[in-house]
Amino acid sequence: MPELPEVEVVRAGLEPAVTGASVASVTVFDERSLRRHSGPSEDFIDRLIGRTFTAAVRRGKFLWLPLEPVRGDVTHILEAQDNGTAAAERSGVSAQQNVQSPEFPKEAVVVHLGMSGQVLLRTVDAPDDRLTRIRIELASPAHGALMMNFADQRIFGSMAIDELVPTADGQAAGLGSAQALVPRSVAHIARDPLDPAFDQRRFFAALAQRNTSIKRALLDQNLISGIGNIYADESLWAARIHYNQPTNTLSLAKAQLLLTEVRTVLAKALSEGGTSFDAQYVNVNGASGYFSHSLNAYGQQGKSCPRCGRPIARERFMNRGSHFCPHCQRLRISAALS
DNA sequence: CGTTGGCCCTGATCGC
DNA sequence: TGCGATCAGGGCCAAC
């Protein structure tokens, strides 16, 4: 259940270790973790060995590690100069990043943790973590030789090599890099609410336009990314909105309040979860920190609502548990009919 | 095109 | 002790 705060903890933990690190070896224990890679595991391995990571970038729950372009790839350089530099100069956008110039990465390893994925950094002599599906051995300038283990119980997560494409708005693609380059498979994912380039107006317009419930909208990564079941319930509780309230019945003020609460909840979780990184025995764990979060609604069914004291309820919604206070978060039917 | 329901997955836990 | 049932759902895609 890693959501934005947990994935950010992973990104921040990986960043100092993988930046500038090269891949010494790759072992794939379970090919299902490469489901989103277009090609067999041999392709994944061959294209990764010897390559160097340049950063650790995150948008919403998606994480990617851009790969330094292979030196001496003349075809690619000529192609980039022809299609990128010349075109950019002709169109007069030279002030913007020319993301197609040869020094920019052209591809990245995209990591999605799914429900149960973890990225764990270990020393080379450490025993394999349980449920490790992919192991990447790194030569890191900061930490020497180390292992990056991708562990995943339910195998909803994945790793994949994907092409980097320019962002639609020309802004930095996510947190961790100033480059306006996003993996093709992540391009359709909306920016997250902590991203300075998050388009609030577009989000509010979508809420007014769509014919759907507010929780479904919060979980729709094409509208707003980074929110999962836990922080959706927590944000709705904070904003006193019922999960099934139609989005087009929310006033702009209420929608603005909700977005504020979303940001508050995510930022608070982030501040609580960002302390576990150890520089010596690097332990990046997507699941850690969850239980230290002070939750008001999620998993609190039967307990007292911290606001009004009445019991928190749990109902099935979208094949998920929805936790809410029936007193504080009421469906506003009259608004729905207007 | 917007919306929705089904599917992929397996370890941990629980009840009998 | 053993074993089957249940639960956790994010993202994607077919279908309506």
Side-chain angles (χ1 to χ4, degrees):
Chain A
M1 292 171 281
E3 306 179 25
L4 186 152
E6 292 74 30
V7 181
E8 175 54 24
V9 169
V10 174
R11 189 207 66 79
L14 286 178
E15 185 170 59
V18 305
T19 302
S22 61
V23 176
S25 73
V26 180
T27 310
V28 178
F29 297 104
D30 196 320
E31 298 211 5
R32 292 174 297 178
S33 291
L34 289 175
R35 182 180 298 125
R36 302 181 66 173
H37 179 76
S38 58
S41 55
E42 291 76 17
D43 179 74
F44 180 81
I45 295 168
D46 291 345
R47 287 166 65 185
L48 213 45
I49 287 180
R51 302 292 295 278
T52 300
F53 295 118
T54 65
V57 196
R58 181 193 55 78
R59 174 189 292 198
K61 307 174 196 173
F62 284 84
L63 179 69
W64 65 92
L65 311 175
L67 291 161
E68 195 172 282
V70 178
R71 255 181 293 171
D73 187 348
V74 179
T75 310
H76 141 229
I77 290 173
L78 291 175
E79 204 174 290
Q81 284 177 339
D82 192 39
N83 297 339
T85 313
E89 284 170 1
R90 257 184 273 117
S91 59
V93 291
S94 53
Q96 284 187 356
Q97 278 183 16
N98 176 17
V99 292
Q100 293 183 354
S101 75
E103 69 267 25
F104 281 94
K106 298 211 82 177
E107 53 189 6
V109 173
V110 180
V111 184
H112 196 276
L113 301 177
M115 292 291 300
S116 52
Q118 297 172 290
V119 182
L120 303 149
L121 294 178
R122 303 294 189 212
T123 55
V124 285
D125 55 352
D128 270 338
D129 292 288
R130 268 165 42 77
L131 310 175
T132 295
R133 312 298 187 185
I134 298 171
R135 188 180 63 202
I136 297 175
E137 188 186 349
L138 299 174
S140 162
H143 298 85
L146 52 86
M147 295 292 191
M148 181 166 66
N149 291 337
F150 180 73
D152 187 10
Q153 183 212 123
R154 275 169 266 183
I155 320 185
F156 280 11
S158 64
M159 281 187 160
I161 299 176
D162 194 19
E163 184 190 1
L164 290 167
V165 299
T167 56
D169 57 11
Q171 303 291 312
L175 184 61
S177 167
Q179 293 170 359
L181 288 166
V182 63
R184 189 179 290 282
S185 58
V186 184
H188 68 287
I189 299 294
R191 291 179 179 280
D192 62 65
L194 300 185
D195 186 329
F198 177 75
D199 190 344
Q200 297 197 57
R201 285 179 49 221
R202 181 176 166 277
F203 176 64
F204 293 138
L207 291 187
Q209 203 173 343
R210 290 213 176 184
N211 180 27
T212 192
S213 63
I214 186 58
K215 183 165 178 181
R216 183 176 274 277
L218 285 180
L219 295 176
D220 186 343
Q221 306 297 304
N222 301 318
L223 269 190
I224 183 170
S225 71
I227 305 168
N229 202 41
I230 295 174
Y231 298 119
D233 282 0
E234 289 298 307
S235 303
L236 289 168
W237 178 87
R240 307 187 193 209
I241 300 172
H242 191 279
Y243 62 82
N244 209 18
Q245 189 72 37
T247 59
N248 56 16
T249 66
L250 292 174
S251 66
L252 179 59
K254 197 73 169 171
Q256 285 169 334
L257 170 68
L258 177 58
L259 182 58
T260 299
E261 296 296 355
V262 165
R263 286 176 166 143
T264 302
V265 165
L266 292 178
K268 182 163 182 286
L270 193 49
S271 70
E272 290 178 15
T275 56
S276 61
F277 179 60
D278 185 317
Q280 188 57 40
Y281 282 93
V282 190
N283 182 0
V284 181
N285 187 333
S288 70
Y290 260 118
F291 306 106
S292 62
H293 295 167
S294 44
L295 298 170
N296 291 306
Y298 183 86
Q300 305 303 300
Q301 60 271 24
K303 296 181 183 168
S304 297
C305 169
R307 192 164 43 215
C308 76
R310 294 176 178 82
I312 297 288
R314 182 183 193 275
E315 293 178 0
R316 295 295 290 182
F317 178 73
M318 291 173 66
N319 270 331
R320 292 164 173 80
S322 273
H323 314 74
F324 68 110
C325 173
H327 176 73
C328 297
Q329 301 167 259
R330 295 186 217 182
L331 255 186
R332 294 175 59 242
I333 302 296
S334 58
L337 293 175
S338 66

